[in-house]
């Protein structure tokens, strides 16, 4: 009934572009999900604010954080990558962005084994501009098979990438000459199968879009779930929290001797010991140098729209994670019996409820 009332109000005021929603103090995920369901249904962007935050903690910093999100959701640019900082940045800009480049981020989220047959959620985003500030996004549900390797692979990846390529072309007026793909959530034992199927999906999507279209592809896997920590040999070299400084790269001694991988501590820790992100370059036919890949990865950690500091891993992977988290929250609120496959609705039916309105597909609405 509440969703119906909200929908009626939105239809009445058709020129609404953005709605601030004050959530009740005792609101649950179901309340939040209800608001986002209306957002998806009508293509009207919303920004939720908890009542306690609005009434008691509405300080300038809080307002600033909300406005960062608001500006991004409305298509604005908070930060952009600069290629004029030094010689390496200039070389990076000329080499990587001398032609149109599409940076892709992807993640797959799964449910615990005791949560029935809930489908895994794949989220894929891509940049639409040279500043790496505007993104298109696509969601896909896939049957949860309780098999780690098969669950992690994004199925129908070709269709998703083709859709994103079309969005990139419509936005920039050009096809990308390079595709940089940051993949989150793949463990070392899943590298080969995931790489094989997803690279093939990207190549097939390019061929489907236009015969002979073969952009150069760089596939980088980002891992946060590991036990490696970095420490300064001299206490005076550490930052205020005792961590290695932001921007520290380790690509020798503790890395794989037969592949190109590196650890990057891209953020300044506030409390405790930082966990650097572990990157493995699984595919690169664009001949980027290690310095270029590491520098670009570090730069992308500064473009996360809702934070004034660098974050722990690149914005494209962060956004893919947020996209999956949004869908996960909405899926959790649905009254569906996931323990009986015969009673659960078809994935296509559920996807229609989660699928983005065409007005939202090329906006970073999920931050």
């Amino acid at each position: 009934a509440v969703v119906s009332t909200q929908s009626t109000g939105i239809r009445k005021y058709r020129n609404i572009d953005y709605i601030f929603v004050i959530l009740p103090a005792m609101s649950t995920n179901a309340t939040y999900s209800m608001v986002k369901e209306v957002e998806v249904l009508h293509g009207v962007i919303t920004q939720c604010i908890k009542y306690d935050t609005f009434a008691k903690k509405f300080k300038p910093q809080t307002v600033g954080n909300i406005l960062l999100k608001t500006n991004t959701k409305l298509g604005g640019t908070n930060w952009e990558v600069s290629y004029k900082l030094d010689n390496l940045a200039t070389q990076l800009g000329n080499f990587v962005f001398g032609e149109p480049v599409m940076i892709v981020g992807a993640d797959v989220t799964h449910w615990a084994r005791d949560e029935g047959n809930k489908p895994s959620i794949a989220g894929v985003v891509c940049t639409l501009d040279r500043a790496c500030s505007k993104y298109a996004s696509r969601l896909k549900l896939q049957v949860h098979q309780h098999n780690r390797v098969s669950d992690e692979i994004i199925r129908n990846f070709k269709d998703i990438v083709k859709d994103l390529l079309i969005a990139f072309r419509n936005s920039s007026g050009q096809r990308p000459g390079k595709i940089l793909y940051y993949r989150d959530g793949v463990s070392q034992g899943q590298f080969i199968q995931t790489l094989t199927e997803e690279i093939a999906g990207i190549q097939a999507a390019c061929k489907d879009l236009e015969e002979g279209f073969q952009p150069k592809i760089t596939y980088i896997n980002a891992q946060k779930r590991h036990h490696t920590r970095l420490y300064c040999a001299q206490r005076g070299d550490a930052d205020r929290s005792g961590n290695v400084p932001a921007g520290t790269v380790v690509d020798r001694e503790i890395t794989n001797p037969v592949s190109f991988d590196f650890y990057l501590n891209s953020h300044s820790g506030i409390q405790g010991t930082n966990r650097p992100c572990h990157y493995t370059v699984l595919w690169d036919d664009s001949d980027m140098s290690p310095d270029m890949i590491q520098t670009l990865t570090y730069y992308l950690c500064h473009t996360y729209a809702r934070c004034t500091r660098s974050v722990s891993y690149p914005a494209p992977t962060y956004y893919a994670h947020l996209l999956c988290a949004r869908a996960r929250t909405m899926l959790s609120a649905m009254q569906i019996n996931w323990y009986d496959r015969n009673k659960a609705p078809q994935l296509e039916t559920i996807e229609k409820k989660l699928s983005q309105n065409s007005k939202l597909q090329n906006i970073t609405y999920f931050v």
Side-chain angles (χ1 to χ4, degrees), residues 223-265:
Q223 288 177 297
K224 288 288 288 180
R225 295 180 180 178
H226 58 77
H227 301 289
T228 302
R229 302 292 184 272
L230 305 178
Y231 300 91
C232 289
Q234 303 295 328
R235 182 181 294 271
D237 295 332
D239 63 13
R240 291 183 301 173
S241 60
N243 285 290
V244 295
T248 299
V249 173
V250 176
D251 57 8
R252 291 178 294 177
E253 305 297 337
I254 62 173
T255 54
N256 194 316
V258 296
S259 62
F260 175 27
D261 66 320
F262 61 95
Y263 291 89
L264 169 61
N265 180 68

Side-chain angles (χ1 to χ4, degrees), residues 148 182-191 220-228 261-264 275-280 282 312-314 317:
R148 290 189 65 186
Y182 284 90
R183 182 65 155 87
D184 187 19
V186 179
S187 64
Q188 190 168 356
Q190 302 166 325
F191 279 175
I220 304 173
N221 184 69
Q223 288 177 297
K224 288 288 288 180
R225 295 180 180 178
H226 58 77
H227 301 289
T228 302
D261 66 320
F262 61 95
Y263 291 89
L264 169 61
R275 178 185 297 174
C277 193
H278 183 209
Y279 299 91
T280 305
L282 298 175
S312 59
Y313 59 122
T317 50

Side-chain angles (χ1 to χ4, degrees), residues 28-269:
T28 62
N29 279 344
T31 307
Y32 175 82
S33 178
M34 177 188 66
V35 173
K36 298 308 177 182
E37 184 178 340
V38 174
E39 177 181 78
V40 168
L41 181 63
H42 294 281
V44 177
I45 304 171
T46 62
Q47 173 61 55
C48 294
I49 306 172
K50 292 181 179 179
Y51 175 78
D52 287 346
T53 300
F54 181 75
K56 303 174 184 178
K57 305 175 184 177
F58 221 51
K59 300 178 181 178
Q61 183 178 356
T62 304
V63 175
N65 289 340
I66 293 172
L67 291 179
L68 286 177
K69 298 175 70 174
T70 299
N71 185 51
T72 302
K73 291 180 178 184
L74 291 175
T77 298
N78 292 347
W79 334 108
E80 63 180 59
V81 177
S82 173
Y83 303 100
K84 300 178 181 179
L85 298 176
D86 51 35
N87 290 334
L88 178 59
T90 302
Q91 292 174 20
L92 176 66
N94 293 337
F95 181 82
V96 178
F97 292 95
E99 56 185 330
V101 175
M102 184 172 84
I103 302 179
V104 179
D107 190 19
V108 180
T109 187
H110 312 289
W111 304 84
R113 290 180 179 271
D114 61 354
E115 294 190 81
N117 296 307
K118 290 181 179 179
S120 297
I121 305 167
V124 186
V125 304
C126 80
T127 56
L128 296 175
D129 63 337
R130 192 175 188 271
C132 304
S133 62
K134 294 179 173 58
Y135 285 78
S137 61
R138 301 295 184 269
L139 272 171
K140 189 70 177 176
L141 301 183
Q142 50 195 44
V143 177
H144 191 16
Q145 299 182 8
H146 301 296
N147 180 295
R148 290 189 65 186
V149 176
S150 62
D151 275 343
E152 193 56 46
I153 295 170
I154 301 177
R155 304 186 192 100
N156 300 317
F157 195 50
K158 181 190 79 170
D159 297 334
I160 298 174
V161 174
K162 182 179 178 181
D163 204 17
L164 291 175
L165 284 168
I166 293 171
F168 182 91
R169 185 178 62 185
N170 292 342
S171 175
S172 65
Q174 305 175 79
R175 305 172 312 180
K178 292 186 178 74
I179 297 177
L180 273 65
Y181 180 35
Y182 284 90
R183 182 65 155 87
D184 187 19
V186 179
S187 64
Q188 190 168 356
Q190 302 166 325
F191 279 175
I192 295 178
Q193 188 173 353
T194 306
L195 170 67
T196 302
E197 297 207 19
E198 293 182 0
I199 284 290
I202 295 174
Q203 292 172 335
C206 295
K207 185 177 180 180
D208 264 17
L209 188 68
E210 187 175 324
E211 190 66 35
F213 175 38
Q214 296 179 320
K216 297 174 181 177
I217 302 170
T218 302
Y219 185 123
I220 304 173
N221 184 69
Q223 288 177 297
K224 288 288 288 180
R225 295 180 180 178
H226 58 77
H227 301 289
T228 302
R229 302 292 184 272
L230 305 178
Y231 300 91
C232 289
Q234 303 295 328
R235 182 181 294 271
D237 295 332
D239 63 13
R240 291 183 301 173
S241 60
N243 285 290
V244 295
T248 299
V249 173
V250 176
D251 57 8
R252 291 178 294 177
E253 305 297 337
I254 62 173
T255 54
N256 194 316
V258 296
S259 62
F260 175 27
D261 66 320
F262 61 95
Y263 291 89
L264 169 61
N265 180 68
S266 56
H267 64 298
S268 298

